[in-house]
Amino acid sequence: LLTAYRNLKVDTPVKSVQLISLDRPSALNALNRELMGELDDVLQKTQNDNQIKCVVLTGSEKAFAAGADIKEMKDISFVDAYKQDFLSSWNRIREFRKPLIGAVSGYALGGGFEVAMATDILLSSSSAKFGQPEINLGIIPGGGGTQRLIRAVGKAKAMEMILTGRMMKAQEAYERGLVSQVVDNEQLLPEALKVGEEIASKSAVSIQAAKEAVNAAYELPLSEGLRFERRLFHQLFATKDQKEGMSAFIEKRKANFSDD
Ligand code: HXC
């Protein structure tokens, strides 16, 4: 993970928890191709790094990310967008198998909001503002906004935000279940890292299975989702960590998971 990135800072402030900070302050972390390529690269390396069990993704105090880069997008033609399958690489975030905690302060707009919604657990500071302002640019959300926002806040609110471009503040996002916690600005990273550290103390195998099972609820009808969950549940009895976790409980000691 020694690669130098121009638009990201990558650090491991807590054992087993990687912190990725979007770092393109001149454009409020607008997500240009280079930045997204770097994010793709670091997620791929992190996926294969057994030392890392959980990732926190954050931005700056002023902006998590103000959207896809408008200056870069402006002159794209339909044919370019179609041939390159513009934005298809954004699926990489969804394919990441370790828990991804989003920590948002300031603006999370357009593609920035969509990246935030693609994380598994979203924490926000009280200054966070979420929005899908694409309608003001003559486009619509293209990174999952029309699909994920409705699942998070319901149709009426999602339509209102997507059709008007209005922003939603942190407290409302919390009340609607879009974010799991709202904390003071200075508490945002410490709290996100604390959640990450707690997750990282579990077995990597059951963490991965839990994420996979919860995400299946987005895709499957209930009967299939329940079947999928049960299959994963059964499979965990083939792991050393299941034996360790249950033995530790019975022996009244702390489990020492080997991620095996
Ligand atoms: C490119 C951007 C940008 C963006 C901000 N900047 N957002 N550049 N793309 N999305 C740049 C500005 O041009 C400016 O550069 C610098 O960052 C600071 O921004 P200001 O506008 O001066 O800051 P402020 O007045 O504080 O306003 C903050 C803001 C505003 C409300 C967040 O920047 C804004 O409305 N940004 C655009 C938000 C947006 O429409 N997002 C959706 C993008 S479309 P200079 O060089 O002038 O100093 C999208 C499509 C997603 O995301 C498709 C799927 C991925």
Side-chain angles (χ1 to χ4, degrees):
L1 280 172
L2 292 170
T3 327
Y5 294 111
R6 281 156 49 99
N7 308 280
L8 301 177
K9 280 194 269 190
V10 183
D11 192 12
T12 312
V14 174
K15 188 173 170 283
S16 305
V17 181
Q18 185 166 76
L19 176 64
I20 303 175
S21 308
L22 306 177
D23 185 30
R24 200 185 162 217
S26 62
L28 302 182
N29 294 334
L31 306 164
N32 63 1
R33 237 180 228 131
E34 185 180 62
L35 186 155
M36 290 308 289
E38 290 179 359
L39 187 58
D40 195 11
D41 186 71
V42 72
L43 288 180
Q44 210 169 318
K45 290 184 170 123
T46 305
Q47 185 65 64
N48 297 323
D49 183 346
N50 287 331
Q51 304 304 313
I52 303 294
K53 292 172 72 171
C54 185
V55 171
V56 173
L57 179 65
T58 195
S60 69
E61 191 176 334
K62 178 157 187 206
F64 177 74
D69 191 303
I70 300 168
K71 292 166 192 168
E72 197 180 66
M73 273 187 299
K74 176 179 164 287
D75 291 321
I76 296 183
S77 71
F78 159 69
V79 172
D80 288 344
Y82 188 52
K83 276 166 59 182
Q84 300 164 17
D85 203 4
F86 180 49
L87 298 181
S88 61
S89 74
W90 284 47
N91 271 331
R92 268 352 122 51
I93 297 172
R94 175 168 168 254
E95 287 158 7
F96 186 64
R97 298 192 299 279
K98 298 178 184 182
L100 194 54
I101 301 171
V104 172
S105 174
Y107 296 109
L109 301 179
F113 187 20
E114 293 171 308
V115 168
M117 283 191 283
T119 64
D120 301 309
I121 303 176
L122 193 53
L123 274 73
S124 106
S125 81
S126 40
S127 77
K129 290 184 206 67
F130 302 94
Q132 299 281 181
E134 286 90 341
I135 203 79
N136 299 321
L137 299 168
I139 56 168
I140 66 168
T146 64
Q147 305 303 299
R148 287 201 178 97
L149 187 56
I150 186 172
R151 287 167 159 91
V153 303
K155 177 177 160 184
K157 199 67 195 176
M159 280 287 194
E160 184 183 275
M161 290 181 79
I162 290 166
L163 295 175
T164 65
R166 281 187 199 168
M167 295 184 206
M168 182 187 280
K169 291 185 180 154
Q171 188 56 35
E172 186 176 353
Y174 172 71
E175 283 157 14
R176 292 180 180 277
L178 190 59
V179 306
S180 69
Q181 293 189 52
V182 183
V183 296
D184 288 340
N185 244 333
E186 58 280 13
Q187 278 310 306
L188 180 64
L189 269 191
E191 182 57 29
L193 291 169
K194 204 169 109 193
V195 174
E197 191 175 16
E198 207 170 319
I199 292 171
S201 73
K202 325 293 183 194
S203 165
V205 194
S206 56
I207 293 171
Q208 179 173 326
K211 171 168 170 166
E212 201 179 349
V214 174
N215 278 336
Y218 266 123
E219 316 273 353
L220 300 175
L222 183 61
S223 57
E224 286 305 311
L226 290 171
R227 190 210 305 271
F228 185 77
E229 179 193 73
R230 203 163 55 242
R231 289 283 178 267
L232 279 174
F233 179 77
H234 293 162
Q235 283 165 19
L236 290 171
F237 286 83
T239 65
K240 286 186 187 145
D241 281 344
Q242 175 267 324
K243 300 290 179 267
E244 167 59 16
M246 293 192 182
S247 301
F249 175 80
I250 291 162
E251 291 160 19
K252 301 186 189 298
R253 60 175 174 83
K254 199 167 170 288
N256 183 17
F257 292 121
S258 58
D259 298 334
D260 205 345

